[in-house]
Amino acid sequence: MLNLLVNTSPEQKAFLAKVRLAMEQYFGEDQRRIDHALQVTRYAEEILAYIEADPVLTLTSAYLHDIGIPEAERKHGSNAGNWQELEGPPVTRDLLARLGSEPSFVEQVADIVGHHHTSCGVDSPEFRVIWDADALVNFAEVLPEKSKEQIENILQDHMETEAGFRIASRIFIQDTESHRRCLKGHRPAILL
Ligand SMILES: [Fe+2]
């Protein structure tokens, strides 16, 4: 999957592959969580092509952003955002320490994981990429039911990066609009 859009060295690619594997092993049979993390990482990669941010910090955080969910569910019986933010950082530290990461890098990832449900939780481009990438995946479950005006308002309000906003508009407004036109039998001329 990595890395057509973002410039990373072979060493960085190898490290990110280890992070992905650690995430997959941690989630075990929970394929839904794994698929979500991979989708968020893909969108983060896409946004990174348009924004200046540390790709290794961003993509590591993308893989691990929901890593607190199993402990949140086990200890608190809930995967609510606040429990994820509480339980994610210790798991992140443990996984990254096993991979030999520098403590300062580990803390930066833990900081993003520990705030990823809090708007403007970390004032950094890497956090903003994760925020938007996660939204791009999660919005797919709720936005298709809404009107164009509602979607525009939600995206204006929620998206933190220009690239994230444009990608979201393409997916949830333009694509949905052409889909609706097709359903109504009013296909755009170019498709006829
Ligand atoms: Fe997520």
Side-chain angles (χ1 to χ4, degrees):
M1 178 177 90
L2 297 169
N3 197 338
L4 296 173
L5 299 169
V6 180
N7 261 334
T8 45
S9 68
E11 292 74 22
Q12 290 172 323
K13 281 190 180 68
F15 172 74
L16 288 165
K18 285 184 197 168
V19 174
R20 173 182 171 161
L21 186 62
M23 175 275 290
E24 290 175 341
Q25 287 174 339
Y26 187 80
F27 281 134
E29 297 191 348
D30 195 344
Q31 193 61 43
R32 194 164 68 92
R33 301 284 179 216
I34 294 171
D35 290 343
H36 173 82
L38 296 179
Q39 273 185 295
V40 170
T41 306
R42 250 174 248 133
Y43 277 128
E45 225 182 334
E46 192 173 344
I47 298 171
L48 275 174
Y50 303 97
I51 193 168
E52 209 154 306
D54 179 331
V56 179
L57 174 57
T58 306
L59 298 175
T60 299
S61 302
Y63 281 132
L64 300 182
H65 75 282
D66 276 346
I67 208 74
I69 289 179
E71 281 298 274
E73 289 175 338
R74 190 178 69 82
K75 288 187 189 170
H76 311 283
S78 163
N79 62 20
N82 60 316
W83 297 127
Q84 289 188 39
E85 290 188 346
L86 181 71
E87 300 299 338
V91 179
T92 300
R93 291 187 185 101
D94 188 49
L95 287 183
L96 292 178
R98 287 166 197 249
L99 298 182
S101 296
E102 292 290 322
S104 64
F105 177 79
V106 175
E107 285 313 309
Q108 289 180 80
V109 179
D111 199 23
I112 293 174
V113 172
H115 291 90
H116 83 278
H117 277 278
T118 303
S119 173
C120 306
V122 182
D123 184 13
S124 73
E126 292 81 10
F127 179 85
R128 288 187 276 279
V129 174
I130 299 301
W131 181 264
D132 280 6
D134 204 16
L136 282 163
V137 179
N138 293 331
F139 278 167
E141 290 179 20
V142 289
L143 290 191
E145 309 299 318
K146 303 205 179 291
S147 70
K148 187 182 173 202
E149 288 69 30
Q150 286 173 317
I151 295 173
E152 279 171 350
N153 288 337
I154 290 168
L155 295 184
Q156 288 282 1
D157 199 45
H158 189 90
M159 304 308 283
E160 289 284 336
T161 70
E162 180 67 25
F165 180 80
R166 283 171 188 271
I167 295 166
S169 300
R170 185 191 71 212
I171 296 171
F172 300 115
I173 298 176
Q174 292 164 19
D175 290 359
T176 309
E177 279 299 293
S178 19
H179 181 63
R180 281 179 185 152
R181 273 198 299 272
C182 286
L183 287 178
K184 286 178 188 167
H186 299 299
R187 288 167 180 263
I190 196 165
L191 296 178
L192 291 171

